[in-house]
Amino acid sequence: MLEDTNVTAKQLDRTLHQLTYSKNFHPKAVIFGQFYAMGAAESEKHLYRQVIKDFAGRVSYPVYYYPVFGHGETNRPFILARRAEILCRTGYLLCSLTQAPVVSGFSDTPSPSPGVR
C-alpha cells in the first residue's frame, strides 16, 4: 500500500521506476491511495493516475488504485496484517475492496468499501 502527499508526480514516477527494476521487491499486489493534495485540479489528478497506470503496465503483479485511502477528504484506512478481498467485475470501472472490522467476538465477514480502480 502506497500513499503520500507532497510528492510530485515526477517524484512518484522516479520511485516507481526504482521499484519496477528492484530485484528485491516481489509483492503479491500493490494498492495506491491518494497522492494529490486536497483541492487538486482534475489535470493534476489525471497526471498521478497516469503515472500509476504506466507503472501497472511495467510490472507483472496486480496494481490497484484506491483513491479514498490516504490523506484526502475521505479516508478509508486499511487494517494492516488483516485479510482484504478485492473483487473486480467485467464492465465496471471500479472494483470493491472489503475487509472485516477488528472487533473481538464478531464475524470475520468482510464489509464492502467502494472505490478500488
Side-chain angles (χ1 to χ4, degrees):
M1 291 179 276
L2 301 170
E3 59 83 23
D4 203 352
T5 55
N6 297 322
V7 172
T8 67
K10 185 175 182 175
Q11 290 170 319
L12 176 60
D13 186 53
R14 188 171 43 242
T15 298
L16 296 180
H17 270 87
Q18 291 173 341
L19 289 178
T20 300
Y21 303 113
S22 172
K23 295 180 182 183
N24 299 321
F25 187 69
H26 306 286
K28 291 182 181 181
V30 174
I31 302 172
F32 287 92
Q34 182 174 319
F35 275 84
Y36 49 83
M38 286 178 46
E42 190 57 39
S43 60
E44 183 180 359
K45 294 176 185 180
H46 176 75
L47 185 57
Y48 283 95
R49 287 191 299 263
Q50 188 62 48
V51 167
I52 293 167
K53 185 176 180 180
D54 291 347
F55 171 73
R58 292 192 304 267
V59 298
S60 59
Y61 41 82
V63 174
Y64 300 96
Y65 173 57
Y66 189 68
V68 295
F69 166 67
H71 298 284
E73 185 174 328
T74 302
N75 183 9
R76 294 182 181 241
F78 289 95
I79 302 166
L80 298 177
R82 296 281 294 188
R83 181 177 178 85
E85 295 178 11
I86 298 173
L87 176 62
C88 301
R89 294 189 174 137
T90 303
Y92 286 82
L93 176 62
L94 302 178
C95 299
S96 64
L97 184 138
T98 56
Q99 192 173 44
V102 178
V103 180
S104 70
F106 286 86
S107 168
D108 198 32
T109 304
S111 58
S113 178
V116 177
R117 293 184 188 183

